[in-house]
Amino acid sequence: HAARLLLALALALVVAPRHARGTRAPRMAVNRRAMLEQTRLACASMLPVCSLPLAARGAVAVDTSYPRTLTVPLTDCGGSYCAVFRVDGTPFRAVIDTGSPFLSVAGSCTKLWGCYTGEGEPAGLAETWETYDGKEGPVAWRRGAVAFGAHELSRSVVFGVLSDELVGRPGGVFLGLVKREAAGIRPTFLSQTPFEAFTVDLRAEPKLVLSTAPLVPVDARWLPMVDLR
């Protein structure tokens, strides 16, 4: 509760309206960036409230030959498999989801998903109302530098900041792997990357492999998939 109150205070200062021209700001005004950094440090010190488990087996691996691949270790996070990534240097965790399109983070400090303290910058996109696992809630859209391990994908990836209504069970935070965008939706995670295919290997050391070229041999037996949207 202390972490949530501190975070709420910081965010209230960040989004506080500017004073009209010609009026004097109150003396209590503070440097907003400094306040966010103080909140992040305070949150990180309130273990285990704001801790993020990073017990992934193995390390992120990059193969620069063709096709270029990125291998991301996965961990069991209570009936699902999760990947750890960073936004502007802050670690987050999300369930890999082959049925959703967006990269998302929890909009508050959580033990399971990470501690959001305002990372990124406004993406210039209006807030939307999304549905996950039967739960509905608002999502704010921001843009930031996204990395897996030491490998930075891009310094300008659009991601969703989920409201508490969406994060609570049976909801959660998702790393969506649907690449193609349906009309009218926000940018998908994979559409902002060079990756064209992926595999999920859940054997001894679970991992997600993203590839810049198809991973299924041309002569392999395969089943076509249908987009139900």
Side-chain angles (χ1 to χ4, degrees):
H1 294 292
R4 189 178 294 274
L5 288 173
L6 185 57
L7 179 62
L9 174 61
L11 292 181
L13 288 169
V14 171
V15 301
R18 295 184 178 180
H19 294 272
R21 183 175 297 178
T23 63
R24 182 172 298 176
R27 289 180 177 272
M28 65 181 298
V30 297
N31 183 290
R32 298 180 179 184
R33 184 177 297 276
M35 185 64 184
L36 276 179
E37 178 62 14
Q38 291 172 13
T39 303
R40 185 186 68 79
L41 295 175
C43 187
S45 68
M46 294 178 184
L47 301 175
V49 176
C50 300
S51 65
L52 178 64
L54 300 177
R57 293 182 179 179
V60 173
V62 179
D63 184 348
T64 57
S65 62
Y66 185 84
R68 186 160 62 92
T69 61
L70 174 66
T71 301
V72 181
L74 303 176
T75 56
D76 186 335
C77 50
S80 302
Y81 284 92
C82 289
V84 172
F85 60 95
R86 295 178 181 273
V87 177
D88 290 351
T90 301
F92 294 98
R93 188 162 76 158
V95 175
I96 59 166
D97 184 11
T98 60
S100 67
F102 307 123
L103 176 67
S104 59
V105 301
S108 58
C109 262
T110 69
K111 180 179 179 180
L112 184 59
W113 308 115
C115 187
Y116 177 75
T117 56
E119 284 74 14
E121 60 184 19
L125 300 168
E127 184 179 273
T128 58
W129 194 265
E130 305 291 339
T131 302
Y132 288 106
D133 284 343
K135 285 199 167 190
E136 297 183 352
V139 177
W141 299 94
R142 297 180 69 80
R143 187 186 302 274
V146 171
F148 288 88
H151 180 70
E152 185 176 273
L153 287 183
S154 170
R155 300 198 61 81
S156 185
V157 174
V158 173
F159 63 95
V161 180
L162 306 186
S163 59
D164 289 343
E165 295 94 323
L166 289 169
V167 174
R169 293 191 180 278
V173 180
F174 299 97
L175 193 167
L177 297 174
V178 175
K179 178 165 184 169
R180 296 179 182 174
E181 296 179 18
I185 72 169
R186 297 297 178 249
T188 70
F189 166 60
L190 286 181
S191 71
Q192 303 175 80
T193 74
F195 300 117
E196 297 291 336
F198 67 85
T199 60
V200 177
D201 186 344
L202 302 180
R203 290 173 291 182
E205 296 184 358
K207 57 183 174 289
L208 166 70
V209 179
L210 301 171
S211 171
T212 57
L215 295 171
V216 178
V218 176
D219 58 350
R221 294 183 178 182
W222 51 272
L223 293 174
M225 301 183 71
V226 178
D227 188 342
L228 298 177
R229 292 174 294 178

